[in-house]
Amino acid sequence: MDSKTVGILGGGQLGLMLVEAANRLNVKTVILDAEGAPAKRINASEAHINGSFKDAEGVSKLASKADVLTIEIEHVNTEILSDLQKKNDKIAIHPSPETIKIIQDKYTQKEYLIENNVAVAESIAVENTIDGIKNAGSILGYPFLLKARNNAYDGRGNFVVKSEASVVEAQAALGANTALYGEKFVPFVKELAVMVVKDIKGDVYAYPTVETIHTDNICHIVYAPARVPDSTQLRASLLAQDAVKCFPKGAGIFGVEMFLLNDGQLLVNEIAPRPHNSGHYTIDACVTSQFEALIRAVTGLPLPKGFSSFSTPSTNAIMLNVLGADEPDGELEYCKRALETPGASVYLYGKSSRPKRKVGHINIVGSSLDECQRRLDYILGKSLSLEDVTQASKPPAGTSTKPLVGVIMGSDSDLPVMSEGCNILKKFGVPFEVTIVSAHRTPHRMSKYAIEAPHRGVKVIIAGAGGAAHLPGMVASMTPLPVVGVPVKGSRLDGVDSLYSIVQMPRGIPVATVAINNSTNAALLAIRILGAYDNKYHKLMQEYAIDLENQVTAKAEKLETVGYENY
Amino acid sequence: MDSKTVGILGGGQLGLMLVEAANRLNVKTVILDAEGAPAKRINASEAHINGSFKDAEGVSKLASKADVLTIEIEHVNTEILSDLQKKNDKIAIHPSPETIKIIQDKYTQKEYLIENNVAVAESIAVENTIDGIKNAGSILGYPFLLKARNNAYDGRGNFVVKSEASVVEAQAALGANTALYGEKFVPFVKELAVMVVKDIKGDVYAYPTVETIHTDNICHIVYAPARVPDSTQLRASLLAQDAVKCFPKGAGIFGVEMFLLNDGQLLVNEIAPRPHNSGHYTIDACVTSQFEALIRAVTGLPLPKGFSSFSTPSTNAIMLNVLGADEPDGELEYCKRALETPGASVYLYGKSSRPKRKVGHINIVGSSLDECQRRLDYILGKSLSLEDVTQASKPPAGTSTKPLVGVIMGSDSDLPVMSEGCNILKKFGVPFEVTIVSAHRTPHRMSKYAIEAPHRGVKVIIAGAGGAAHLPGMVASMTPLPVVGVPVKGSRLDGVDSLYSIVQMPRGIPVATVAINNSTNAALLAIRILGAYDNKYHKLMQEYAIDLENQVTAKAEKLETVGYENY
C-alpha cells in the first residue's frame, strides 16, 4: 500500500499487533528487539535487528532500514532519537523524540500538562531522601502516591505512602537511586481511558471512552464504552483530545488514562505515547484497530473520515487480559471457554507463560454490555452454564426465571393496576415476570425486550400504559408474540386517551385490548392463550369459568330466594 | 493454545489468512508452497517447505513437521494424501482425502451430490471429441456449459457452448486432453453462497447466506447477507449444510456456491473444500472468521456455541475483491479511497500486481446494506464526494437533499392531510423532505430515521399519524429534535383517538401537538422554530403574521362597513 518501511522500537505484543496491522496493508516493518521477540514471529524478514531498543547502534541500524520510526514502548533513549533526527533528515520519527521525552518522565509529563491547562492531580518533585519524602507527605497530606519518574509500568514504580511511618518502606520499595515525584491521592470513583490518534497534520481522532478495571495495578478488564453517562464519556474524550493536542507536533497514538472523581471532575492520570492495553478492544469493536490507526498515521495513509469513524453506534465490548496463571498454562482455561462463547475472540502473543505476565487478551462483543458481562462471567468461570450465556438475554427480575408471561408497564405508577393481573397469574401458577419498560423513556430497552422475549420462552406479553400509552402497540410491532394491552386510567380524560391509543392500532399489528384498568382480564386472556396449547391452563380456565358460574348462580339463587328488596 | 502444528498445503492468500488466524491462537503452522509464498511472509519459521503442494516428497516432509494437514487449494494429489494417511496414523488430514478427491473432480462432485439427493444442475460426462461434445449438446440443449472436470478456477475451464457451430472453439478453449463434462444451462437470477464449517465430530455450523457478483467469471463483489428474502436465505443455508453433511467424515470448511432460479428453486453449483473468496467478509462482519473457524475445526479447538454464533443480527457487509489493474498499482486507488471510508477495511496479500490477479480485498461494514453500497460506490469512484458517504445516511427522496424539516407520516393515506403543511413549507422556501415512516409496520426504520435525522441536519420533525398514532411520540422519544405531531382524523372516532395518542405524552418527552388534521399549523410551528435561530425565517414569519392581520382587519372593516346582515 505504501512503499515506506516502518521501523519499530520494541517487539512485544504491541509490536506484534502493529506488524499484523501493517502486513494487511502491505506496509513493511522491521523490528529492533531481542531475538525471538513476538513481533518478529509474524514477520519473516531478514532485516530485523537483534538488540535493545535503548541502544544507539541498534537504533541507527534500524533507521538505516526504515523510512519511519515508531515505538511500542516509551522507555527508549530519546537522546539517540533526537541525534538521529538531526543527522538524518530523511527519517521520520513518530511520535517526535521531544514528545516521548516529555511523556517518559512522568513528573515532566505532569508539569507539561499543567502548563497546557490540562487537569491533573497535584504533583510535586520529591528528593529521594527520607526527609524529602516526609516533606512531600506534609505538603500533599497522607495517604499520597510516591512514584518513580521513569521506567514505571503495570504499577511497578508506584507506592502508596499511608503515613509518615511507611516512608522508609516506600523508599526501599522504589529504590534509593530512583528519581521520584509525589502525587496527591485522588479519591476517584472510576478510571477512564481514551485512545487518541494524531495524524501528520496534527488532526486528532478519538476512539470511544472506556473504563478500565485494575487488579494489583495491572489492567484486568476494559469496558467499552465506559459505564458512565454519555456526557461524562464526551467530557473525557474532549479532555483526552486536548491533552494529546498540546504535545509537540508529530503523528502517533496516545493512550490517555483519566480519573473520574465523585463530583464528576476528570483528571488526566497518565499518557502513553503508543498503542495501549486499554485499546485492545478496538481490534473487534472498531473497524480500524488502534494498531492499524498508528500504522496509517505514521506512514501518512488516510484515516477514515467523518462522524463516528472509529466506532459504530453499537460498540459494546469488554476486554479481558489473559495473565499467566500460577500453575503452568492455567490461563488457557479462560481461553478455551472463550472459544466456546459467542462474541468472544482470543488473542495470544506467543509468549511463554509466567505468573501475572500478559500473555494474551480476550475481546468480547455483544449487543449490550450486559450481554458482554454474562459472556465474561462464563469465561471467568463465574457462571456454570454456557446455555445461560448463549440465551439472547437473561430475564428481568420477576417471579420466575423461565416466565411464560411477561408483564410490563410504562411506569411504576401503573403497578397498582397491573398487580391485580399479576395476582391472577400467581393464583393460576403461571410463571411470569414483571418489569418496567417505557416506550418513551427507554425506547431501546423496549425494543430489546420485545425482540428478545420469544427467545427467552415468553409466550404472551401483557403491557399496561396510561396517557399516550404507546407501549403495547410498539411492543406488538416488534415481536410476533400476542400482546395484551391494558389502558391505565390517568388523572385526566378518565383513561379514554389510553384506551384509544392502545385499541386503535392499524391493520397488521393487533393489540388485544382489555377494559380500562382491567389487568385481571388481561391476565385471564393470557392464560387462555397459554391454554390453547397447554392443557394444564386449559383445564384451570375451565374450572375458573365453572367457579364464576357458580358464584353467579349462587347470587341468582339468593336473589330469587330473599327477593330483590331484601338482597 | 493448542500444541498441534498445522501443515498447510498451499501458501497463497487463503494460506496467509489461515496463518494469521492461527498466530492469534498460538497455533503453529508450516507451509508447503513455492519460496516466498504469501503465507510464509507472516510466519517466521525455519520449518517451511519449498516445493509444490502436488509433490509427494513435499507433502511427506510437511507431514513430518505437523500433527494436522489441511489445504488452502483443492488441486492437490489425493493419492499421496491417502497413502500418507495409511502409512502414518498419527497425522490427521482435514478435510479427508476422500472428500477432496470427490470434490476436485467437478463431475464426480456432481454425481456424488445427486446420489445424496442434493439439488444440482443436470450434468453428464462428455467424451472429449467433436462428436462427444455435439452429443452432449443434443442431450442438454444449447446453450450448455462445457467444463473441465479438474483444475478449474475463476472461470478457467468453463465454456458456454452457444450452438453446434461453437463446438470446435469450445474444445480448443478447454484443450483436447482435458477430461470434460457438460452441464445444462440454468437461467439463474442470483448466485448465492454459504460457508459451512464441519467439526471433527461431524457437526456443521453455517455462516450467513451471501450473494456473489461475478465479473468475467471472477468473484467481484459479495453482499452479506444476500439481497433475497429471509426464507430464501434460510433455504440456501439448509441446502448448503445438507450438501456438506453428505461428504465423508473429516473436519473442514466448505464454500457452497448455489444458483437461485426464477421460480425460487436453489441448485448447488459447486463446492470448495477450503476457505473461499465468498467468505472473506467474515473477517470483519463475524466474530470468528472463516479462517479461524477452519483452524479451530481441524485442531479440535471449540467453536462458538449457540444461536447465531457466526453472525450478529447486524451483519451487513460487502466484500470487494481488489484485482490487479491494467496499469501498475492502479488498483491501489481503490484501496486509498477505502482507507478514507468509514466502515471499510483493506486487506492486501503481499502479491505482485498483474492484471486481474487477486491481490487483496476490501471489506465494508455498515448499519445497512444501503450504507455499505454507498461506501462501495465511493471506493469504486462512482460517487465523487466522501461527504455523501460519511453522512449517517442519505436523506429519503423529497424536495431537498439538505432538508431542515422532515415531514413523515405513518401511511400514504395521511398524505392529503400532510401535503397542506408541505405546501406551506414550500411557500416559505424551507428545504424539507417527505416520507412514510410507520411506527408499527417499520419500527426499525422509524428508529433509524429518528436517530439519524439530526446528523443529516434536520432541525424539526413534523409527524402525522391517525388511529393509535404512535409515530410522533415514538420519534420524539428517540431524537432530541423538536417533534410536531399532527393528529390525522380516521374514519371513526373523529380523530379524537389520534389527538389523545399524540398529545397525552408522559413528562419528559414532549410532542408539540397541533389540531386534528391541521398540518398547516404544524408547518408554521416548524418555521417558527427555525426562525428562533435563523433570521430569514423569523422575518418571513413576521411578514406572514402581518399578512394574516391584514386579512382579518380587512374582513373586520368589511363587516363594520356592510353590517352583519349583508356580510
Side-chain angles (χ1 to χ4, degrees):
Chain A
M1 189 62 163
D2 193 87
S3 51
K4 293 194 186 87
T5 295
V6 178
I8 305 173
L9 282 79
Q13 64 264 26
L14 300 177
L16 170 91
M17 291 184 272
L18 277 173
V19 169
E20 189 182 43
N23 282 341
R24 289 178 164 190
L25 296 174
N26 280 2
V27 170
K28 288 196 183 63
T29 47
V30 196
I31 309 296
L32 166 60
D33 205 336
E35 200 175 340
K40 295 181 179 177
R41 181 167 62 93
I42 64 159
N43 185 349
S45 164
E46 310 274 292
H48 296 313
I49 296 139
N50 292 333
S52 165
F53 43 77
K54 296 185 181 183
D55 174 56
E57 198 192 326
V59 173
S60 137
K61 267 194 207 163
L62 186 71
S64 72
K65 291 180 177 183
D67 306 289
V68 183
L69 295 188
T70 194
I71 59 171
E72 63 115 49
I73 182 162
E74 62 272 32
H75 307 309
V76 295
N77 186 327
T78 54
E79 304 306 319
I80 297 172
L81 290 177
S82 294
D83 282 355
L84 181 70
Q85 185 74 92
K86 276 175 213 145
K87 283 185 211 145
N88 178 354
D89 61 358
K90 278 191 191 132
I91 191 99
I93 305 178
H94 297 294
S96 70
E98 302 92 294
T99 299
I100 303 171
K101 192 180 162 75
I102 294 165
I103 286 177
Q104 69 181 188
D105 178 330
K106 284 160 73 179
Y107 182 59
T108 311
Q109 182 192 136
K110 285 254 155 51
E111 286 188 305
Y112 190 85
L113 290 172
I114 291 167
E115 276 167 30
N116 285 279
N117 298 312
V118 175
V120 298
E122 189 187 341
S123 301
I124 53 170
V126 176
E127 198 192 323
N128 194 341
T129 61
I130 297 299
D131 281 348
I133 300 170
K134 282 187 184 165
N135 186 37
S138 66
I139 296 170
L140 297 170
Y142 291 97
F144 76 97
L145 287 147
L146 188 64
K147 295 185 170 186
R149 292 174 64 147
N150 299 295
N151 295 313
Y153 71 100
D154 287 350
R156 291 180 221 202
N158 284 7
F159 195 94
V160 182
V161 189
K162 287 187 188 144
S163 69
E164 214 179 276
S166 45
V167 162
V168 173
E169 192 194 345
Q171 194 194 30
L174 297 177
N177 298 315
T178 306
L180 299 175
Y181 76 105
E183 201 178 285
K184 200 178 170 68
F185 183 79
V186 177
F188 60 87
V189 288
K190 273 181 195 291
E191 290 184 86
L192 306 181
V194 175
M195 296 305 307
V196 179
V197 184
K198 198 176 188 179
D199 69 12
I200 288 176
K201 287 178 295 179
D203 291 338
V204 300
Y205 302 73
Y207 280 95
T209 300
V210 304
E211 176 182 347
T212 56
I213 311 285
H214 289 79
T215 307
D216 298 337
N217 286 308
I218 299 177
C219 178
H220 180 210
I221 292 173
V222 172
Y223 289 90
R227 297 169 301 173
V228 296
D230 288 0
S231 58
T232 308
Q233 288 181 31
L234 183 62
R235 285 192 298 118
S237 178
L238 294 175
L239 177 61
Q241 290 176 56
D242 283 347
V244 170
K245 277 181 200 157
C246 79
F247 287 100
K249 73 180 162 75
I253 192 161
F254 299 82
V256 182
E257 294 184 285
M258 287 160 282
F259 295 127
L260 172 65
L261 310 194
N262 233 327
D263 60 0
Q265 206 195 335
L266 288 160
L267 299 176
V268 169
N269 174 18
E270 58 182 73
I271 299 178
R274 51 162 172 83
H276 191 257
N277 202 165
S278 69
H280 289 357
Y281 79 94
T282 61
I283 298 176
D284 287 285
C286 301
V287 173
T288 305
S289 75
Q290 62 166 341
F291 304 100
E292 183 173 338
L294 178 60
I295 293 291
R296 294 206 213 172
V298 301
T299 55
L301 284 171
L303 287 159
K305 297 287 182 297
F307 173 70
S308 78
S309 302
F310 277 136
S311 64
T312 63
S314 58
T315 298
N316 283 298
I318 296 179
M319 193 275 324
L320 170 72
N321 266 340
V322 179
L323 302 178
D326 291 335
E327 58 301 357
D329 289 339
E331 69 278 4
L332 293 185
E333 242 184 75
Y334 299 119
C335 298
K336 289 213 169 124
R337 277 200 295 266
L339 292 181
E340 292 171 1
T341 308
S345 302
V346 175
Y347 298 84
L348 293 172
Y349 308 148
K351 291 161 76 175
S352 58
S353 176
R354 280 201 305 265
K356 297 236 155 66
R357 189 182 202 198
K358 289 180 184 169
V359 296
H361 71 269
I362 293 168
N363 281 344
I364 306 165
V365 295
S367 56
S368 67
L369 269 188
D370 275 358
E371 190 178 53
C372 296
Q373 182 69 53
R374 287 196 302 279
R375 291 169 174 182
L376 175 65
D377 288 346
Y378 177 76
I379 292 167
L380 291 173
K382 288 184 187 169
S383 137
L384 286 180
S385 148
L386 185 58
E387 204 185 301
D388 294 343
V389 177
T390 53
Q391 271 182 359
S393 189
K394 249 191 197 163
T399 59
S400 167
T401 51
K402 293 274 177 203
L404 292 175
V405 177
V407 180
I408 57 177
M409 57 204 86
S411 158
D412 58 355
S413 63
D414 303 324
L415 187 57
V417 168
M418 298 307 288
S419 56
E420 289 172 27
C422 295
N423 289 338
I424 295 283
L425 293 170
K426 211 168 186 176
K427 193 173 141 191
F428 277 79
V430 176
F432 69 104
E433 63 183 16
V434 194
T435 190
I436 294 167
V437 177
S438 165
H440 298 126
R441 282 159 296 210
T442 62
H444 302 295
R445 175 171 156 84
M446 173 186 70
S447 130
K448 191 167 178 296
Y449 185 89
I451 291 167
E452 291 183 356
H455 298 297
R456 292 192 292 106
V458 170
K459 302 293 179 201
V460 190
I461 294 171
I462 299 175
H470 293 175
L471 181 68
M474 288 312 303
V475 167
S477 74
M478 288 191 262
T479 183
L481 292 179
V483 176
V484 181
V486 183
V488 176
K489 186 186 144 179
S491 49
R492 291 162 203 90
L493 288 173
D494 240 7
V496 176
D497 47 352
S498 335
L499 171 63
Y500 284 179
S501 288
I502 295 172
V503 78
Q504 285 286 88
M505 289 290 289
R507 253 178 282 278
I509 303 100
V511 168
T513 312
V514 295
I516 296 168
N517 277 10
N518 199 331
S519 72
T520 302
N521 268 3
L524 292 170
L525 185 55
I527 299 164
R528 282 170 183 242
I529 292 169
L530 298 179
Y533 280 89
D534 187 334
N535 205 33
K536 181 171 121 197
Y537 297 113
H538 187 73
K539 275 191 180 160
L540 286 171
M541 193 45 74
Q542 276 177 319
E543 289 165 19
Y544 178 80
I546 291 165
D547 199 40
L548 273 189
E549 196 182 1
N550 289 343
Q551 282 177 34
V552 176
T553 33
K555 285 179 184 171
E557 264 178 42
K558 185 180 166 195
L559 180 59
E560 288 167 18
T561 310
V562 303
Y564 78 95
E565 291 104 334
N566 300 320
Y567 189 83
Chain B
M1 189 63 164
D2 192 87
S3 52
K4 294 194 186 86
T5 295
V6 179
I8 305 174
L9 283 79
Q13 65 263 24
L14 301 177
L16 171 90
M17 291 184 272
L18 278 173
V19 169
E20 190 182 42
N23 282 342
R24 289 178 164 190
L25 296 174
N26 281 3
V27 169
K28 288 197 184 62
T29 47
V30 195
I31 308 297
L32 167 59
D33 205 337
E35 201 176 339
K40 295 181 179 177
R41 181 166 63 93
I42 63 160
N43 185 348
S45 164
E46 310 274 293
H48 296 312
I49 295 140
N50 292 332
S52 165
F53 43 78
K54 295 186 181 183
D55 174 57
E57 200 193 324
V59 173
S60 139
K61 269 195 203 161
L62 186 72
S64 72
K65 294 179 176 183
D67 307 289
V68 184
L69 295 188
T70 193
I71 58 171
E72 61 116 47
I73 181 163
E74 63 272 32
H75 307 309
V76 296
N77 187 327
T78 54
E79 303 307 318
I80 298 171
L81 291 176
S82 294
D83 281 356
L84 180 71
Q85 185 74 92
K86 275 175 215 146
K87 282 184 211 145
N88 178 354
D89 61 357
K90 278 191 191 134
I91 190 100
I93 306 178
H94 297 294
S96 71
E98 303 90 294
T99 299
I100 303 172
K101 192 179 161 74
I102 294 165
I103 286 178
Q104 69 179 188
D105 178 332
K106 285 159 71 180
Y107 182 60
T108 311
Q109 182 192 137
K110 285 253 152 56
E111 285 187 308
Y112 189 84
L113 290 171
I114 292 167
E115 275 166 32
N116 286 280
N117 298 313
V118 175
V120 297
E122 189 189 341
S123 301
I124 54 170
V126 175
E127 197 192 323
N128 193 342
T129 60
I130 297 299
D131 281 349
I133 299 170
K134 282 187 183 165
N135 186 36
S138 65
I139 295 169
L140 298 169
Y142 292 98
F144 75 97
L145 288 148
L146 189 64
K147 296 185 170 183
R149 292 173 64 147
N150 298 295
N151 294 312
Y153 71 99
D154 285 351
R156 290 180 222 199
N158 284 7
F159 194 94
V160 182
V161 189
K162 287 187 188 142
S163 68
E164 215 180 275
S166 46
V167 163
V168 173
E169 193 195 345
Q171 194 195 29
L174 297 177
N177 298 316
T178 306
L180 299 176
Y181 76 106
E183 201 178 287
K184 202 176 168 69
F185 182 80
V186 176
F188 61 87
V189 289
K190 274 183 196 289
E191 289 183 85
L192 305 180
V194 175
M195 295 306 307
V196 179
V197 184
K198 198 176 187 178
D199 70 12
I200 287 175
K201 288 178 292 180
D203 291 339
V204 299
Y205 303 73
Y207 281 95
T209 301
V210 304
E211 176 183 346
T212 56
I213 310 285
H214 289 79
T215 306
D216 299 336
N217 285 308
I218 299 177
C219 178
H220 180 210
I221 292 172
V222 172
Y223 288 90
R227 297 168 302 174
V228 296
D230 289 0
S231 59
T232 307
Q233 288 181 31
L234 183 62
R235 285 192 298 118
S237 177
L238 295 174
L239 177 61
Q241 291 176 55
D242 283 347
V244 169
K245 277 180 199 158
C246 80
F247 287 100
K249 72 182 163 72
I253 193 162
F254 298 82
V256 183
E257 294 185 284
M258 286 161 282
F259 295 126
L260 173 64
L261 311 194
N262 232 328
D263 60 359
Q265 205 195 336
L266 288 160
L267 299 177
V268 169
N269 172 21
E270 58 183 73
I271 298 178
R274 51 164 172 82
H276 191 257
N277 202 165
S278 69
H280 290 358
Y281 78 95
T282 61
I283 298 176
D284 288 285
C286 301
V287 174
T288 305
S289 75
Q290 62 166 342
F291 304 101
E292 182 173 339
L294 178 61
I295 294 293
R296 295 207 213 170
V298 302
T299 55
L301 285 170
L303 287 160
K305 296 286 182 296
F307 174 69
S308 76
S309 304
F310 277 136
S311 64
T312 64
S314 60
T315 298
N316 282 298
I318 296 180
M319 193 274 325
L320 170 72
N321 266 339
V322 179
L323 302 179
D326 291 334
E327 60 298 356
D329 288 340
E331 70 278 4
L332 293 184
E333 244 184 74
Y334 298 118
C335 298
K336 288 211 168 126
R337 277 200 296 266
L339 292 181
E340 292 172 2
T341 308
S345 303
V346 175
Y347 298 84
L348 293 172
Y349 307 147
K351 291 161 76 174
S352 57
S353 175
R354 279 201 307 265
K356 298 236 155 62
R357 191 182 201 197
K358 289 179 183 169
V359 296
H361 72 269
I362 294 167
N363 280 344
I364 306 165
V365 295
S367 57
S368 67
L369 269 188
D370 275 357
E371 190 177 55
C372 296
Q373 182 69 53
R374 286 196 302 279
R375 292 169 173 182
L376 174 66
D377 288 347
Y378 176 75
I379 292 167
L380 291 174
K382 287 184 188 168
S383 137
L384 287 179
S385 148
L386 184 58
E387 204 185 300
D388 294 343
V389 178
T390 53
Q391 273 183 357
S393 189
K394 250 191 195 164
T399 59
S400 168
T401 51
K402 293 274 178 204
L404 292 174
V405 177
V407 179
I408 57 176
M409 59 203 83
S411 156
D412 59 354
S413 64
D414 302 324
L415 187 57
V417 167
M418 298 307 287
S419 55
E420 288 172 27
C422 295
N423 289 337
I424 296 284
L425 294 170
K426 211 169 185 177
K427 193 172 140 191
F428 277 78
V430 176
F432 70 103
E433 63 184 16
V434 194
T435 190
I436 295 167
V437 177
S438 166
H440 298 126
R441 282 159 295 209
T442 62
H444 302 294
R445 175 172 156 84
M446 174 186 69
S447 129
K448 191 168 180 294
Y449 184 90
I451 292 167
E452 292 183 355
H455 300 296
R456 293 191 290 108
V458 170
K459 302 293 179 201
V460 190
I461 294 172
I462 299 175
H470 294 175
L471 181 69
M474 288 312 304
V475 168
S477 74
M478 288 192 262
T479 183
L481 292 179
V483 176
V484 181
V486 183
V488 176
K489 184 187 145 180
S491 49
R492 291 162 204 90
L493 288 173
D494 240 8
V496 176
D497 46 351
S498 334
L499 172 61
Y500 284 178
S501 289
I502 296 173
V503 77
Q504 284 286 88
M505 289 291 290
R507 255 178 281 277
I509 304 102
V511 168
T513 311
V514 295
I516 296 168
N517 276 12
N518 199 332
S519 72
T520 301
N521 268 5
L524 291 170
L525 186 56
I527 299 165
R528 282 170 183 242
I529 293 169
L530 298 179
Y533 280 89
D534 187 333
N535 205 33
K536 181 172 118 195
Y537 297 113
H538 188 72
K539 277 191 179 158
L540 286 172
M541 193 47 73
Q542 276 178 318
E543 289 164 20
Y544 178 79
I546 292 167
D547 198 40
L548 273 189
E549 195 181 2
N550 289 343
Q551 281 176 34
V552 175
T553 33
K555 284 179 185 172
E557 265 178 39
K558 187 180 165 195
L559 180 59
E560 289 166 19
T561 310
V562 303
Y564 78 95
E565 290 104 335
N566 299 319
Y567 188 83

